[in-house]
Amino acid sequence: MNSLIDKLSIEGRLSTQEYRSLLACADDDAVREYAASRARETALARFGNGIYIRGLIEVSNVCRNDCYYCGIRRSNRNVSRYSLSYEEIMECCRTGYALGFRTFVMQGGEISGAADEAITDTVRAVRAEFPDCAITLSLGEKRREVYQRFFDAGANRYLLRHETVTPDHYGRLHPAEMSLEGRLHCLYDLREIGFQTGTGIMVGSPYQTLDNIVADVLFIEKFRPQMIGLGPYLPQHDTPFAAFPAGSMNMTLMLLSVFRLMFPDALIPSTTALATIAPQGRELGILAGANVVMPNLSPADTRAHYALYDNKRATGTEAAEGLRALEAQLESIGYRISFDRGDYSPSGGVRPAGG
Ligand code: 5AD
């Protein structure tokens, strides 16, 4: 297996069968740790020991979708719904800016119509008040015109996980009114508009097979996103999938390493879901090749209501306190916070185009 990892590190890709064999070894500690060590070297060579921070603002938990895995799905009556006001979002950004954040991520449930106008206005205001900051949006599927308005208002990046690229798996995770095709269409629109675009999957989502994961790796290989978001599936007690077990931390770590070796320049977060599944999850993600963390800047009293899954980490900590804890956490493994804006920038020339 180590020779496959070396091959991936040199060529940036493997055959379908080789990806499959490698990923099948996710629970083999020696193989996974070798992949992590190569991925870590790759990230260190490209980014040094700086980890980019993105201030996450959970702007609303109102959602028109009914994804079977997600705690803020429309049918969940036990969620108390909120939407932050323009002024509240600006306050989060001001707090974050003072702490050194230079990227703000506005994430929320999918709502359309008036909400899109409100977001556009907010993006414009953030862009005006913080011209040196990047604005990332994570607000689900929109018509291309809406994405274009977000972009014109000053948004730079967009996160939209495809969740799974296998149509019947997609159909088992989502109600019939949602389509994989629609989602992929959105990703291509975002990229064409000029967003730095992120996609990704939940690892170990219900009914996911190894072949599904391999298909996702191949899709990501082809799509070449600038950002890749991965976290284990975690059950939420009010969803139809409450009884499904959490996804595998080992597979999540293995995939982080595989993606880092495929894409040395990619922005790859060590996610909150990973930090939730294991006490050292965040550190392990970084040691497997991740180079971004997304601390929460949402008002402390709304965080508990943005519960996509149970036991979400750090719902009570205030932003400044959280940042100090993060600093210590990173230091303990030989890393530090990078306060750079951290845009995607291809280094080029390191390896022949196409791998
Ligand atoms: N467990 C883990 N991740 C989840 N997401 C939604 N629900 C869950 C869950 N139960 C992820 C999805 C979505 C992102 C915002 O959060 O991948 O794209």
Side-chain angles (χ1 to χ4, degrees):
M1 278 306 136
N2 288 6
S3 65
L4 279 188
I5 295 166
D6 290 336
K7 177 177 174 188
L8 180 60
S9 163
I10 293 161
E11 299 180 11
R13 62 189 295 176
L14 295 175
S15 71
T16 303
Q17 196 44 53
E18 288 170 331
Y19 282 129
R20 195 178 199 290
S21 313
L22 180 56
L23 292 171
C25 294
D27 283 325
D28 181 323
D29 295 348
V31 174
R32 196 183 58 255
E33 281 162 23
Y34 183 67
S37 74
R38 296 303 308 260
R40 194 155 68 228
E41 278 167 26
T42 302
L44 279 168
R46 174 64 185 79
F47 300 99
N49 70 343
I51 299 296
Y52 296 128
I53 51 168
R54 319 301 198 191
L56 180 65
I57 306 169
E58 295 156 337
V59 295
S60 174
N61 65 358
V62 179
C63 192
R64 65 182 154 106
N65 285 334
D66 221 13
C67 310
Y68 303 138
Y69 47 83
C70 184
I72 64 168
R73 63 199 302 269
R74 178 182 73 216
S75 302
N76 186 359
R77 302 262 166 257
N78 297 328
V79 179
S80 102
R81 304 285 171 173
Y82 74 88
S83 295
L84 298 185
S85 68
Y86 160 85
E87 201 37 58
E88 285 171 310
I89 296 172
M90 295 307 289
E91 265 316 303
C92 293
C93 294
R94 289 180 192 124
T95 304
Y97 193 89
L99 291 169
F101 286 90
R102 293 297 177 267
T103 293
F104 302 118
V105 182
M106 296 188 218
Q107 182 174 88
E110 212 173 283
I111 16 181
S112 48
D116 291 332
E117 303 309 309
I119 288 289
T120 307
D121 292 342
T122 307
V123 168
R124 200 174 291 114
V126 175
R127 170 57 54 242
E129 187 167 332
F130 306 100
D132 56 332
C133 292
I135 301 172
T136 304
L137 301 179
S138 175
L139 301 165
E141 297 179 28
K142 308 280 177 190
R143 285 179 298 111
R144 186 181 174 126
E145 305 82 80
V146 176
Y147 286 147
Q148 185 69 55
R149 285 202 290 277
F150 291 161
F151 188 79
D152 294 341
N156 312 94
R157 310 180 187 146
Y158 205 102
L159 305 173
L160 182 69
R161 292 190 183 170
H162 67 283
E163 316 295 359
T164 174
V165 79
T166 305
D168 61 87
H169 186 218
Y170 194 92
R172 296 186 118 186
L173 300 180
H174 303 100
E177 73 254 20
M178 292 177 70
S179 83
L180 174 63
E181 228 189 335
R183 175 145 304 212
L184 298 180
H185 197 86
C186 286
L187 282 170
Y188 286 98
D189 281 346
L190 287 162
R191 173 156 58 211
E192 273 175 38
I193 288 169
F195 282 102
Q196 293 170 50
T197 303
T199 193
I201 64 169
M202 281 177 296
V203 180
S205 58
Y207 309 108
Q208 186 185 58
T209 64
L210 183 58
D211 286 318
N212 294 154
I213 299 178
V214 172
D216 291 318
V217 170
L218 294 170
F219 168 69
I220 288 176
E221 179 186 284
K222 177 173 77 138
F223 185 73
R224 308 187 68 81
Q226 283 89 23
M227 302 172 283
I228 303 167
L230 302 175
Y233 162 74
L234 296 168
Q236 201 283 351
H237 62 277
D238 286 318
T239 66
F241 285 169
F244 280 90
S248 150
M249 173 169 80
N250 287 344
M251 182 59 87
T252 306
L253 295 171
M254 183 65 132
L255 282 165
L256 287 173
S257 299
V258 165
F259 286 125
R260 170 59 64 211
L261 293 172
M262 292 168 72
F263 300 112
D265 300 322
L267 300 163
I268 304 180
S270 186
T271 53
T272 305
L274 186 56
T276 298
I277 201 174
Q280 304 288 305
R282 185 183 260 170
E283 292 91 327
L284 290 170
I286 289 163
L287 294 171
N291 70 322
V292 172
V293 295
M294 298 170 64
N296 203 323
L297 286 179
S298 308
D301 58 324
T302 65
R303 287 185 204 178
H305 303 300
Y306 197 84
L308 309 186
Y309 44 77
D310 293 334
N311 309 313
K312 187 175 103 176
R313 266 295 278 282
T315 42
T317 20
E318 166 247 342
E321 189 192 328
L323 198 62
R324 280 191 298 273
L326 171 64
E327 220 153 21
Q329 234 177 7
L330 293 181
E331 227 164 74
S332 76
I333 54 168
Y335 287 77
R336 61 179 176 84
I337 294 175
S338 164
F339 289 95
D340 292 350
R341 178 174 144 141
D343 281 289
Y344 178 81
S345 86
S347 42
V350 173
R351 117 183 352 146

